[in-house]
């Protein structure tokens, strides 16, 4: 791009001759007045303004003076008349870049233009340089401030680091657990206060020693090296090995260390944690704490817990039992009331009937029989309840006498044959001894009571078939049995039927009369007579009750 030269002159032929002279080298703009020149300056970047001084509207110098500060890069040449020396001085003061006297010579003009354009280029370059320099300066300033802030930060973090270091050192020193840093062979590099106390030595003595030696491992009593056994079993060694191999930063383990205390070995349980330290040589930070007592306490706690659990479960089952027994009691009372009310109603009802006049004799007999039966039933209940209360207060007396067991068997036959015939059940007695051999000393009435209870039950729970009863002599004992082929007793109920007031059918719709104390009384009586009672039964097939009494033969 050619530099732009603006030539101002009110004489048009001057303008034209200038254009012709310099158009090849420069981009020429011509203005016949300063007004036109000003317009061009606004539109284009002009390297040089050449203005004629003597112009009618505004002189060239006045124009340059006016616009110079607006276009400081542009250079200015004033065209003057030959004798205007004062004007030239004035113009130089204004800061023009050259002046040429009119009429100008081509060479002179060309030289002046070259100088002015060069000056313009230099000014331009200068300005660009100044801008770059300013920019550079700005960058340097920024850089400088960054460095300052970085160094402040560095200083701050350095002081924080040293604070932290101090803190860590204090923690390390005062930790209540032992901390030891060892190399791969378990040689001690450093140890904290608690560790030194545990080893019972000073820091100088402990550094460089094998861990086992410093901490009195009983495997190392006299030797300076770990024994093979120690190498295999030592938890310190295996923790160090593991940490280095896996570069783990938190390996935890627990185990025994055999300490040599005054010649004897004490196994201490320790909880150990190992951390691999990344240094020039492999190092492991070991921290450990003795937890022997803790473990002992835990074991004791566990035992205590077990005991408490068992007490708890006993309490729970006692509560359940007491609840059950509450329910049982209410059931028992309801049952007893029912068992008393039934014969009572019979007695009252049929005695009222008897009071009516003109009842035929045969009916009277039936009614009287019912009243009699009901009274016996009542009497039995009352006797049973009395017996039970005597048993509970240990007031049941045994009155021994001499009697013939065979006769007693036949008495029972007479007593029950009527019932057997009525229910169409075969009743078969059995006697094992000769009559004279069967005379014994025992409580006859109680024996009758037992047999009576068991036969009553056999009849009650048997609908058809047969009931066999009798005794055998076995090992100085008379073993009685009462066998029926009635409803039988389920296996899980068999050990409960001897409990007071227990009835297998107690929860079902009760079909069988009774208050559930017959077997419990019988058991107590058998025991008082010196024997024992048991049963064999199959549900749906029948039951056999056995009991023994000593064969105290009467002399
Ligand atoms: P009770 O006969 O008055 O109910 P017991 O103490 O004599 O009371 O008997 C307790 C329970 O044992 C009976 O209710 C019955 O469920 C069962 N039992 C006793 N003897 C027999 C038997 N021979 N056959 C079947 N169940 C029997």
């Amino acid at each position: 791009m050619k530099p732009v030269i603006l030539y101002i002159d009110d004489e048009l032929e001057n303008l034209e001759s200038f254009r012709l002279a310099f158009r090849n080298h420069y981009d020429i703009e011509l203005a016949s007045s300063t007004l036109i020149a000003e317009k061009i300056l606004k539109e284009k970047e002009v390297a040089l303004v050449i203005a004629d001084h003597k112009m009618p509207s505004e002189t060239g110098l006045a124009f340059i003076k006016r616009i110079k500060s607006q276009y400081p890069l542009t250079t200015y040449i004033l065209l003057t008349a030959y004798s205007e020396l004062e004007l030239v001085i004035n113009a130089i003061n204004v800061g023009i870049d050259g002046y040429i006297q009119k009429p100008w010579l081509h060479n002179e003009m060309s030289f002046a233009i070259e100088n002015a354009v060069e000056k313009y280029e230099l000014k331009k370059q200068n300005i660009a340089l100044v801008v770059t320099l300013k920019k550079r300066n700005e960058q340097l300033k920024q850089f400088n401030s960054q460095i300052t802030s970085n160094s402040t930060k560095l200083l701050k973090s350095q002081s924080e680091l040293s604070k932290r270091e101090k803190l860590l050192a204090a923690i390390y020193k005062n930790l209540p657990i032992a901390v030891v840093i060892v190399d791969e062979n378990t040689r001690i590099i450093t140890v904290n206060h608690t560790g030194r106390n545990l080893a019972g030595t000073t820091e100088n003595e402990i550094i460089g020693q094998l861990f086992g030696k410093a901490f009195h491992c009983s495997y190392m009593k006299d030797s300076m090296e770990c024994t093979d056994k120690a190498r295999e079993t030592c938890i310190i060694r295996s923790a160090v090995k593991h940490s280095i191999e896996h570069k783990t930063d938190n390996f935890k383990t627990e185990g025994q260390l055999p300490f040599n205390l005054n010649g004897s070995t004490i196994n201490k349980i320790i909880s150990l944690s190992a951390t691999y330290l990344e240094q020039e040589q492999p190092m492991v930070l070991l921290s450990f704490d003795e937890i022997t007592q803790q473990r002992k306490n835990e074991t004791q706690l566990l035992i205590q817990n077990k005991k408490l659990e068992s007490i708890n479960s006993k309490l729970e089952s006692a509560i359940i039992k007491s609840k059950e027994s509450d329910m049982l009691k209410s059931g028992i009372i309801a049952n007893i009331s029912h068992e008393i009310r039934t014969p009572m109603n019979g007695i009252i009802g049929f005695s009222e009937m008897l009071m009516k006049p003109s009842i035929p004799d045969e009916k009277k007999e039936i009614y009287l029989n019912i009243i009699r039966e009901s009274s016996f039933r009542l009497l039995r209940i009352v006797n049973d309840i009395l017996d039970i209360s005597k048993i509970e207060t240990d007031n049941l007396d045994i009155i021994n006498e001499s009697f013939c067991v065979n006769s007693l068997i036949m008495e029972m036959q007479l007593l029950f044959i009527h019932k057997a015939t009525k229910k169409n059940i075969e009743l078969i007695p059995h006697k094992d001894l000769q009559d004279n051999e069967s005379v014994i000393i025992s409580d006859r009435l109680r024996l009758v009571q037992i047999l009576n209870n068991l036969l009553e039950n056999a009849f009650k729970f048997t609908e058809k078939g047969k009931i066999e009863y009798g005794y055998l002599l076995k090992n100085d004992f008379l073993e009685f049995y009462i066998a029926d082929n009635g409803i039988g007793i389920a296996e899980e109920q068999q050990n409960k039927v001897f409990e007071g007031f227990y009835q297998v059918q107690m929860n079902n719709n009760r079909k069988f009369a009774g208050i559930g104390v017959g077997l419990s009384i019988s058991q107590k009586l058998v025991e008082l007579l010196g024997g024992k009672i048991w049963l064999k039964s199959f549900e749906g097939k029948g039951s056999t009750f056995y009991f023994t009494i000593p064969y105290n033969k009467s002399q």
Side-chain angles (χ1 to χ4, degrees), residues 34-152:
T34 55
L35 213 70
I36 298 169
E38 206 169 346
K39 223 173 147 197
I40 294 167
L41 275 169
K42 269 182 195 154
E43 284 162 7
K44 267 193 162 175
E45 193 187 316
V46 175
L48 168 64
V49 173
I50 302 173
D52 182 24
H53 179 63
K54 254 193 193 133
M55 283 187 292
S57 52
E58 188 180 20
T59 65
L61 186 60
F63 173 68
I64 292 170
K65 223 170 165 180
R66 184 161 62 80
I67 56 149
K68 199 168 186 299
S69 60
Q70 281 181 57
Y71 307 99
L73 276 185
T74 309
T75 47
Y76 300 91
I77 290 177
L78 190 69
L79 294 176
T80 62
Y82 181 68
S83 55
E84 291 173 323
L85 191 66
E86 208 174 315
L87 170 71
V88 170
I89 295 168
N90 228 342
I92 289 168
N93 284 341
V94 168
I96 60 159
D97 301 284
Y99 70 94
I100 291 179
Q101 286 174 358
K102 275 170 90 175
W104 48 266
L105 295 174
H106 185 275
N107 278 353
E108 193 185 6
M109 178 57 95
S110 176
F111 183 69
I113 289 174
E114 263 172 41
N115 273 342
V117 168
E118 200 179 341
K119 196 171 175 187
Y120 163 78
E121 295 292 347
L122 275 173
K123 267 193 197 174
K124 230 174 130 180
Q125 276 175 20
N126 213 13
I127 288 217
L129 210 69
V130 168
V131 170
T132 329
L133 276 175
K134 267 190 183 165
K135 230 173 163 182
R136 226 12 214 286
N137 206 18
E138 210 49 51
Q139 278 174 348
L140 277 172
K141 264 189 192 167
Q142 266 182 20
F143 194 56
N144 207 14
S145 87
Q146 252 176 20
I147 288 179
T148 321
S149 97
N150 278 354
S151 67
T152 324

Side-chain angles (χ1 to χ4, degrees), residues 182-196:
V182 293
D183 69 7
E184 57 202 321
N185 290 317
T186 78
R187 271 189 204 285
I188 295 172
I189 295 166
T190 175
V191 58
N192 77 340
H193 195 66
T194 314
R196 282 200 302 277

Side-chain angles (χ1 to χ4, degrees), residues 431-453:
K431 298 171 279 183
D432 196 32
L433 297 172
Q434 294 295 320
D435 286 352
N436 58 344
E437 293 292 308
S438 77
V439 181
I440 61 161
I441 293 173
S442 189
D443 190 327
R444 185 176 174 280
L445 279 179
R446 293 302 183 190
L447 186 57
V448 169
Q449 194 179 349
I450 299 164
L451 283 168
N452 197 52
N453 278 347

Side-chain angles (χ1 to χ4, degrees), residues 231-243 251 253:
R231 280 177 202 282
E232 280 163 27
T233 55
C234 176
I235 66 160
I236 301 289
R237 279 197 171 271
S238 61
V240 170
K241 199 170 158 228
H242 180 94
S243 299
F251 172 70
T253 183

Side-chain angles (χ1 to χ4, degrees), residues 457-458 460-461 484 487-489 497 502-505 513-520 543 545:
N457 278 350
K460 192 157 54 173
F461 298 105
D484 65 53
I487 61 170
I489 302 167
V497 291
Y502 189 86
Q503 293 173 304
V504 175
Q505 300 80 9
I515 57 169
V517 293
L519 285 180
S520 137
S543 319
F545 282 83

Side-chain angles (χ1 to χ4, degrees), residues 30 252 277 297 305 357 420 428 443 525:
L30 301 173
K252 287 195 187 317
L277 301 176
N297 291 348
N305 252 7
I428 308 161
D443 190 327
L525 292 177

Side-chain angles (χ1 to χ4, degrees), residues 225-448:
E225 287 299 324
C226 292
T227 60
D228 288 345
K229 191 175 178 194
R231 280 177 202 282
E232 280 163 27
T233 55
C234 176
I235 66 160
I236 301 289
R237 279 197 171 271
S238 61
V240 170
K241 199 170 158 228
H242 180 94
S243 299
I244 291 174
E245 268 171 22
H246 298 89
K247 301 199 169 174
T248 45
D249 65 352
N250 203 356
F251 172 70
K252 287 195 187 317
T253 183
E254 208 179 289
Q256 280 193 352
L257 270 191
F259 278 88
N260 175 18
L261 263 193
N262 305 326
S264 53
T265 299
I266 293 179
N267 281 322
K268 291 187 178 181
I269 304 173
I270 64 157
S271 144
L272 172 74
S273 96
T275 303
Y276 174 74
L277 301 176
E278 190 82 62
Q279 302 285 334
E280 300 96 75
Q281 64 168 125
M283 290 183 185
V284 178
L285 183 142
L286 300 169
S287 59
F288 58 95
D289 205 6
E290 196 200 329
I291 50 164
T292 318
Q293 195 55 41
Q294 195 180 323
R295 283 287 168 272
K296 267 187 198 161
N297 291 348
E298 277 170 11
T299 323
Q300 268 174 355
L301 261 179
L302 268 179
I303 295 170
Q304 222 135 330
N305 252 7
K306 279 259 140 49
K307 275 186 192 161
L308 278 176
E309 268 171 21
S310 110
I311 292 174
N312 236 10
S313 86
K314 274 183 193 157
L315 271 177
E316 268 171 21
S317 61
I319 290 170
I320 293 170
K321 265 198 183 155
S322 111
K323 276 185 190 161
E324 275 177 6
S325 109
D326 272 358
M327 280 162 62
L328 208 66
K329 265 185 206 155
S330 345
I332 287 164
I333 290 168
N335 185 23
I336 293 176
S337 326
H338 172 78
E339 287 299 317
I340 294 176
R341 215 175 292 126
T342 314
M344 282 293 263
N345 283 342
I347 295 166
I348 296 166
F350 285 101
S351 7
E352 274 169 4
M353 303 267 267
L354 276 176
M355 275 146 84
K356 285 184 188 161
S358 70
I359 297 175
D361 280 351
E362 58 284 5
K363 278 212 169 166
K364 261 188 198 165
E365 204 184 322
I366 294 170
Y367 293 168
L368 279 170
N369 257 334
I370 293 171
I371 291 171
R372 192 166 167 270
E373 287 245 326
S374 301
S375 310
F376 275 128
R377 205 166 143 186
L378 257 183
L379 186 66
R380 226 178 14 250
I381 291 167
V382 172
N383 279 339
D384 276 353
I385 291 172
L386 273 178
D387 276 350
I388 275 290
S389 71
K390 275 185 192 165
I391 286 170
E392 272 176 8
T393 51
D394 261 342
N395 276 333
L396 211 68
D397 292 327
I398 293 297
I399 302 162
N400 284 327
E401 57 181 310
S402 170
F403 64 93
C404 172
V405 179
N406 282 0
S407 325
L408 196 142
I409 293 290
M410 291 329 290
E411 245 175 68
M412 300 314 291
Q413 185 72 7
L414 281 178
L415 221 63
F416 281 90
I417 196 70
H418 179 63
K419 222 173 211 163
T421 325
K422 218 168 137 191
K423 280 190 101 171
N424 199 15
I425 286 172
E426 201 183 345
L427 183 64
I428 308 161
H430 181 85
K431 298 171 279 183
D432 196 32
L433 297 172
Q434 294 295 320
D435 286 352
N436 58 344
E437 293 292 308
S438 77
V439 181
I440 61 161
I441 293 173
S442 189
D443 190 327
R444 185 176 174 280
L445 279 179
R446 293 302 183 190
L447 186 57
V448 169

